[in-house]
Amino acid sequence: MITTDFVPGSPSWLDLGSPDTAAAARFYGAVFGWEFQSHGPETGGYGVFRLGGRTVAGLGPLTEEGARSAWMIYFRAADADATAAAVRDAGGTVRVAPMGPGEGEGRMAQFTDPQGGQFAVFQPGTYPGLEAADEAGTLSWTELYTTDAAAAKQFYGTVFGWATEDIPLPGGGGTYSLITPAGQGKERMQGGLMELPSEHLALNGGRPYWHPVFGSEDCDATVAKVVEGGGTVQMGPEDAEGVGRLAVCLDPAGADFVVLQPEPQG
């Protein structure tokens, strides 16, 4: 599970780059009940989504020419500069060098893994990161679709020390690798990765990509709101044994995310 008791390598922030932040704020507000709070023009239109008064994600305009609208997942780093060096040593690329959003608030950096998957890190300062997780309307899981699972496990294991556990997918659908932060128990599993051929990654031009999984109390009702708001459904809703009921969705600008209604416990 993802918690706000962050450890190195655990998801601690995520934000959406959108071509129309006002439209994105309306869409996610309708789907998850999020309220958008802008940080003002001095931040270039960046702001945060809140749910019940707690910060659950960020939103800002696309800043890279030719970039697609997508969610960026940030993992906790004790030292962003050291992580950047580890990324380069492991064959990855530093896309945005470590930088601080403000005095004492923390530092962030963005990277690309050797296969092309983009991710980021956040080194906390006075601002800790997400204030809610693993509940309806919040980040509950992270997932990487990659063209080379073995290489991805080696890269992220080198950079973050993640432990992975392979499990077979139902119906001979391949292998899914569960991710746990370094030194943590299985109760802290935070995501997974799976290998797909590049032709199945058309959403990102055949390159690997990360996406978030958001919790829901009623997957079908949430998906109905996605469609009503102008989004689309790539897969589902369908039941996944031992996981819950889920659907893969796109917002109106094409950013992908998963909606998951967890299987009842006990």
Side-chain angles (χ1 to χ4, degrees):
M1 64 183 294
I2 294 176
T3 76
T4 55
D5 177 23
F6 307 118
V7 296
S10 68
S12 60
W13 187 248
L14 77 163
D15 57 22
L16 173 66
S18 174
D20 187 336
T21 54
R26 290 193 298 270
F27 173 79
Y28 287 97
V31 172
F32 294 119
W34 293 350
E35 296 180 350
F36 180 66
Q37 179 182 343
S38 173
H39 284 173
E42 63 272 16
T43 63
Y46 193 87
V48 297
F49 284 116
R50 297 185 188 278
L51 180 64
R54 297 175 296 170
T55 302
V56 295
L59 168 66
L62 285 172
T63 56
E64 290 186 61
E65 186 175 347
R68 77 177 181 98
S69 183
W71 284 95
M72 179 69 68
I73 298 172
Y74 295 71
F75 301 100
R76 171 66 72 97
D79 184 329
D81 293 277
T83 303
V87 166
R88 285 191 292 264
D89 290 345
T93 303
V94 177
R95 293 176 47 252
V96 178
M99 57 182 286
E103 185 67 29
E105 291 182 4
R107 308 186 76 218
M108 57 77 67
Q110 295 187 3
F111 310 112
T112 303
D113 70 28
Q115 285 70 51
Q118 296 183 354
F119 66 104
V121 296
F122 179 64
Q123 175 187 333
T126 56
Y127 194 80
L130 296 173
E131 295 177 340
D134 202 43
E135 57 187 71
T138 72
L139 182 67
S140 299
W141 193 251
T142 62
E143 199 163 57
L144 171 66
Y145 291 164
T146 182
T147 50
D148 190 333
K153 286 188 286 186
Q154 181 176 356
F155 172 79
Y156 289 102
T158 299
V159 172
F160 292 120
W162 289 347
T164 56
E165 176 186 345
D166 293 346
I167 59 172
L169 290 169
T175 301
Y176 192 85
S177 300
L178 299 165
I179 297 167
T180 304
Q184 301 297 308
K186 291 185 178 181
E187 73 281 357
R188 291 297 300 266
M189 280 181 181
Q190 65 192 32
L193 65 86
M194 64 182 297
E195 183 171 310
L196 292 170
S198 59
E199 57 266 28
H200 290 186
L201 303 176
L203 185 65
N204 198 37
R207 298 182 304 275
Y209 57 90
W210 285 93
H211 59 209
V213 178
F214 298 118
S216 171
E217 293 179 348
D218 186 330
C219 180
D220 293 73
T222 301
V223 168
K225 292 177 182 177
V226 168
V227 175
E228 288 168 8
T232 55
V233 181
Q234 284 196 306
M235 184 193 78
E238 63 182 41
D239 296 319
E241 185 177 352
V243 178
R245 189 161 177 79
L246 57 84
V248 181
C249 304
L250 300 179
D251 72 16
D256 56 304
F257 61 96
V258 175
V259 174
L260 172 64
Q261 177 185 342
E263 203 170 74
Q265 300 296 308

